[in-house]
Amino acid sequence: MATEGQRRHPGELESSVLTVLWAAAGPMTPAEIQRSLGGGLARTTVNTILSRLHEKGVVERTRSGRAFAYAPAREVADAPGLAARRMRSELDKQQDRETVLARFVSGLSDEDEEHLRRLLGD
């Protein structure tokens, strides 16, 4: 986590919110999420994060009184699923996909490269 006065790394807040949602027994309201995060975040910040996650299809929301309650979308209900979705999202932002993929692969460890080769071979 970022220390006081430092900006958080992009996605860090989203990851924190998702960690809370993954651990929950069911959908949670922004107020419940804010309490679970232990303070330090304004309710408006939590609402903004949840709105962005909803727009990305990462969380689902249902009415809970006057507010919404949020839960992880089924297809991204785990950390590896979220990481894969982020990678695809970043790739989709680039026009030169081949170069982005080439640079990604060139930065892989030998072990990760072998995992990728095995997955692509299937």
Side-chain angles (χ1 to χ4, degrees), residues 8-116:
R8 289 182 170 95
H9 184 273
E12 184 178 335
L13 290 175
E14 288 182 358
S15 294
S16 297
V17 168
L18 283 169
T19 299
V20 168
L21 289 173
W22 288 325
M28 296 179 72
T29 65
E32 293 168 329
I33 294 167
Q34 181 188 28
R35 281 192 299 274
S36 292
L37 291 170
L41 285 182
R43 176 97 45 94
T44 55
T45 302
V46 174
N47 281 326
T48 299
I49 294 164
L50 289 165
S51 293
R52 288 180 182 162
L53 290 170
H54 182 258
E55 288 171 9
K56 293 177 185 179
V58 177
V59 297
E60 297 172 345
R61 67 182 181 194
T62 55
R63 274 277 175 212
S64 177
R66 293 175 33 206
F68 285 108
Y70 294 83
R74 280 184 279 264
E75 65 270 11
V76 291
D78 63 346
L82 178 60
R85 189 177 186 96
R86 281 190 187 141
M87 291 166 59
R88 281 191 308 272
S89 175
E90 288 302 313
L91 183 60
D92 288 345
K93 293 176 187 175
Q94 304 299 316
Q95 289 185 347
D96 188 357
R97 295 170 71 94
E98 185 175 349
T99 299
V100 173
L101 287 168
R103 289 193 179 162
F104 173 75
V105 171
S106 71
L108 293 175
S109 68
D110 291 342
E111 183 179 328
D112 286 341
E113 190 175 329
E114 185 55 40
H115 287 307
L116 188 57

